[in-house]
Amino acid sequence: MWNEFKKFALKGNVMDLAVGVIIGGAFGKIVSSLVNDIIMPVVGILLGGIKISNQSYSFGSAVLKYGAFLQTVVDFFIISFSIFLFIRILSRFKRKKEEETVEEIKADVKEELLMEIRDLLKMQAEAGGAIGTREHTDRS
């Protein structure tokens, strides 16, 4: 059972997932700090010094903390937008790399074709021009 677990845990997909989770956690902390320490204080200043996350409404003993909910919604949109930008940048790099690979393949194919043409022309010249020509004797 231990050997099976080691095989599973050391597969590329599992390791990639683990790295992704760790990086995602760190990225989440960065975005949370951006929201809590930079963006929301500016929003609070624009709203006249109000701290959104502290806003609430009381119904007797029940407290409706709509400010915390709004804070979470703002966090979500900023995190979503940040991830969108990050994925967009990665996609551009990936697309550029794929285009470079296609260009390299095209160059290799062109070179190979040119070498084949050169070899055929060389063979034709050595054979006295007989290769690739047809004489039509039958005219019907």
Side-chain angles (χ1 to χ4, degrees), residues 14-133:
V14 174
M15 296 301 288
D16 291 344
L17 179 62
V19 170
V21 167
I22 292 168
I23 291 174
F27 185 71
K29 288 180 182 180
I30 291 170
V31 173
S32 294
S33 176
L34 173 70
V35 171
N36 295 330
D37 302 329
I38 296 174
I39 294 175
M40 291 316 291
V42 172
V43 171
I45 290 169
L46 294 174
L47 294 175
I50 299 172
K51 188 169 182 181
I52 292 177
S53 61
N54 292 339
Q55 299 299 309
S56 62
Y57 187 78
S58 298
F59 294 111
S61 63
V63 178
L64 181 67
K65 297 181 180 181
Y66 67 90
F69 174 74
L70 291 175
Q71 179 71 44
T72 304
V73 170
V74 170
D75 288 353
F76 169 77
F77 282 118
I78 292 172
I79 291 170
S80 299
F81 185 69
S82 299
I83 292 171
F84 166 75
L85 291 178
F86 183 71
I87 290 173
R88 187 172 179 212
I89 290 168
L90 287 179
S91 295
R92 280 187 181 171
F93 285 134
K94 185 177 179 183
R95 198 173 331 131
K96 188 173 183 180
K97 180 68 175 169
E98 288 173 354
E99 289 172 359
E100 289 173 358
T101 303
V102 168
E103 291 301 320
E104 289 174 5
I105 291 171
K106 285 181 180 179
D108 289 345
V109 169
K110 282 182 183 178
E111 186 176 336
E112 188 176 322
L113 288 173
L114 288 172
M115 289 188 333
E116 287 180 16
I117 291 169
R118 178 201 62 202
D119 293 344
L120 286 172
L121 289 172
K122 187 176 179 182
M123 284 175 40
Q124 186 177 12
E126 289 173 356
I131 296 177
T133 60

